[in-house]
Amino acid sequence: MKRSDIKRRPLADTVLSSLEPEPKEYRETYGIDRIYFVVSPNGRKRWEFRYKRVADGKWTWLGLGGYPEYSAKRAREKASQASALLEQGIDPGNHKQAVKKAVEAATASTFRSVATAWLEKKERDGRSASTLDKITTYLDKDIYPALGDLQVSGISRRHCADLLASIEAREAFNVAKKTRGWLKEIFSQAIAKGMMEYNPASELLVIAAQAPATKQYPHLLEDELPDFMRAMQRSPSRLIARTAAMLTLWTASRPGMTRWAEWTDFDLDAAVWSVSAAKMKMDRDIMIPLPTQAVAALRDLHELTGRSRYLFPGNGQANPVISENTINKVFALVGYKGRLVGHGTRHTASTLLREHGWEKDHIEMQLAHKEGGISGVYNKAKYLAQRRHMMQWYADYLDALRDGMTEAQRNQFKAKVNAE
């Protein structure tokens, strides 16, 4: 309705909700307690309180909140609070600003805000999306519930020790180790900003629970591969998930690298996948040769996800790529739950290639295990020709196992090992 049609005051809710905007912002008195209803040209509405400033007695305005978030009843309550402050000689506008600054100061020094700034710096410094995703997961799952709303200056070693003990209690020892490191970095940043004087996450290693001996990821040996490869032919998983699983198998890549792979990283004509240091666990660039089987599968996948940034997109902004459990689920659905996981494919490839006499250095480079010295950091194409030959052999060997390898074929594969 137009404001010229207002018949009575205080303004009824039907009037408040239906008042139409005009080319210029306007105020209408609500009808009591010096409360005004403001309508902006864009249609937004809010409440204001008119009062005389304590300092100079001049009339001014105090915002009471937006409408409909703040009803007429809530606006009257806030106006009443402002009037009570005036009776005490306190300017409600100054009081509002002081409270806002106090809240901002308190919020800025909480662990959550300091950790957020730390994580943003890691992103600016070029840390991989997969690494940031993992940190965010454990911040939300473990760290924020325990420390998030506490002032950093009030966090003690006991707070940190209790947090880590809760993580160790579920036997997530690797998460506990990473959390110790993250906490030390976050508190170091707070110290550098003058927000605290000592690091409560220091010295926690001496009370850390002893992790059990590292267990190998579930993996398959050669005699188990024929049935597995035939099972994968019958996989009920969707194309995206199935291709991710097979790409991990064909290239012996880390599942995280596969999940976050981008189409711009691939040259299918040259059959090569270039992975930048930002995406690598070991912070090194590497070129990964693609066997013909992988190239064919990726060309099929491109028909489905080629318009996406990622090869294996997830289901929205919160999940830009497939989850870390997707590849494991593919294997589980063909009967290999607990027998093979994404990381285990690397062990499978390494074991089979070594048993058949492939060069250790070529295998280690394909697995992206970091070497010492300058070459280990900068030579991303090292042994590329040899690795291309080796990984094509590996993919062909898997196919032959699936189809029932003859003795003649086995001899042919043996002759191809390390043959350039």
Side-chain angles (χ1 to χ4, degrees):
M1 65 180 291
K2 299 184 182 300
R3 59 171 169 160
S4 59
D5 294 330
I6 296 173
K7 302 299 182 185
R8 62 178 184 174
R9 302 173 196 276
L11 302 176
D13 284 339
T14 53
V15 174
L16 297 173
S17 61
S18 62
L19 273 176
E20 299 176 1
E22 296 180 1
K24 291 185 179 181
E25 183 175 271
Y26 66 88
R27 290 184 178 92
E28 280 294 325
T29 177
Y30 173 65
I32 57 174
D33 298 335
R34 299 199 302 275
I35 299 174
Y36 286 77
F37 193 67
V38 186
V39 181
S40 298
N42 61 7
R44 296 187 63 182
K45 300 172 181 179
R46 69 182 187 275
W47 298 99
E48 288 187 348
F49 174 68
R50 185 165 171 76
Y51 75 99
K52 286 185 178 181
R53 288 196 298 241
V54 171
D56 56 17
K58 293 183 178 180
W59 287 101
T60 189
W61 300 95
L62 175 71
L64 300 179
Y67 177 88
E69 298 82 13
Y70 277 74
S71 64
K73 180 181 178 181
R74 291 187 67 189
R76 290 198 304 271
E77 290 172 351
K78 294 200 70 175
S80 178
Q81 293 168 4
S83 295
L85 289 171
L86 286 167
E87 289 177 4
Q88 301 172 51
I90 300 173
D91 189 300
N94 294 342
H95 178 75
K96 180 179 180 180
Q97 290 300 316
V99 170
K100 180 180 178 182
K101 288 181 179 179
V103 171
E104 289 176 347
T107 302
S109 57
T110 62
F111 178 88
R112 188 186 304 272
S113 63
V114 174
T116 298
W118 167 78
L119 191 59
E120 289 173 349
K121 185 177 186 303
K122 282 193 170 296
E123 185 173 8
R124 292 195 302 272
D125 291 344
R127 295 305 296 268
S128 70
S130 58
T131 296
L132 296 173
D133 181 56
K134 181 174 291 186
I135 294 173
T136 299
T137 296
Y138 289 110
L139 281 170
D140 291 339
K141 180 179 180 181
D142 294 306
I143 304 175
Y144 285 156
L147 307 177
D149 296 329
L150 300 179
Q151 299 291 306
V152 286
S153 59
I155 294 176
S156 66
R157 283 197 175 91
R158 171 53 59 192
H159 286 116
C160 297
D162 288 347
L163 165 61
L164 290 165
S166 70
I167 298 173
E168 292 169 346
R170 66 173 191 263
E171 299 185 355
F173 298 105
N174 188 52
V175 175
K177 177 182 177 181
K178 290 182 180 298
T179 298
R180 280 196 301 273
W182 296 335
L183 290 177
K184 287 181 71 174
E185 290 184 22
I186 292 168
F187 289 126
S188 290
Q189 180 171 294
I191 291 171
K193 292 181 177 180
M195 303 173 74
M196 58 196 310
E197 296 300 324
Y198 81 101
N199 195 319
S202 64
E203 311 304 327
L204 293 176
L205 182 59
V206 298
I207 61 170
Q210 184 66 39
T214 302
K215 296 180 180 179
Q216 293 179 341
Y217 290 106
H219 61 280
L220 302 178
L221 299 179
E222 182 171 339
D223 62 352
E224 300 172 285
L225 288 172
D227 287 341
F228 167 72
M229 292 298 294
R230 285 190 283 269
M232 284 297 293
Q233 275 191 313
R234 304 186 297 272
S235 172
S237 297
R238 60 196 179 107
L239 179 65
I240 292 175
R242 190 170 68 250
T243 305
M246 289 305 300
L247 182 63
T248 303
L249 179 69
W250 282 321
T251 61
S253 300
R254 293 181 177 88
M257 283 170 49
T258 300
R259 291 171 51 230
W260 290 93
E262 301 180 30
W263 283 112
T264 54
D265 298 334
F266 285 78
D267 184 340
L268 296 183
D269 291 331
V272 68
W273 174 14
S274 299
V275 186
S276 67
K279 297 179 183 179
M280 291 292 294
K281 182 177 179 180
M282 300 304 293
D283 292 329
R284 61 175 295 167
D285 294 346
I286 189 171
M287 296 178 70
I288 300 173
L290 298 172
T292 57
Q293 293 88 334
V295 172
L298 292 179
R299 290 194 188 280
D300 289 341
L301 181 68
H302 193 269
E303 295 295 319
L304 180 62
T305 70
R307 294 180 180 273
S308 170
R309 172 183 177 183
Y310 299 107
L311 275 70
F312 309 107
N315 55 12
Q317 187 172 359
N319 301 293
V321 298
I322 57 175
S323 77
E324 58 186 333
N325 293 320
T326 299
I327 293 173
N328 294 345
K329 187 176 180 181
V330 172
F331 298 147
L333 288 176
V334 296
Y336 284 79
K337 183 176 182 179
R339 298 175 61 189
L340 179 66
V341 296
H343 274 285
T345 62
R346 291 164 56 79
H347 193 100
T348 292
S350 177
T351 301
L352 190 147
L353 291 169
R354 287 174 186 272
E355 288 179 346
H356 285 273
W358 290 95
E359 289 287 340
K360 173 180 176 293
D361 288 346
H362 301 171
I363 299 171
E364 291 296 293
M365 187 66 188
Q366 182 66 23
L367 294 172
H369 288 162
K370 191 171 183 179
E371 306 169 10
I374 295 295
S375 64
V377 178
Y378 294 108
N379 194 351
K380 64 183 180 181
K382 193 171 184 179
Y383 304 131
L384 181 60
Q386 296 94 325
R387 288 188 290 120
R388 184 182 299 280
H389 175 60
M390 177 177 73
M391 298 312 291
Q392 185 62 61
W393 180 96
Y394 179 60
D396 291 342
Y397 196 82
L398 293 176
D399 286 349
L401 288 173
R402 177 197 64 205
D403 298 336
M405 188 181 303
T406 64
E407 190 61 31
Q409 286 178 310
R410 192 174 295 277
N411 290 333
Q412 290 173 354
F413 277 108
K414 184 176 182 180
K416 290 180 181 179
V417 173
N418 294 322
E420 302 303 327

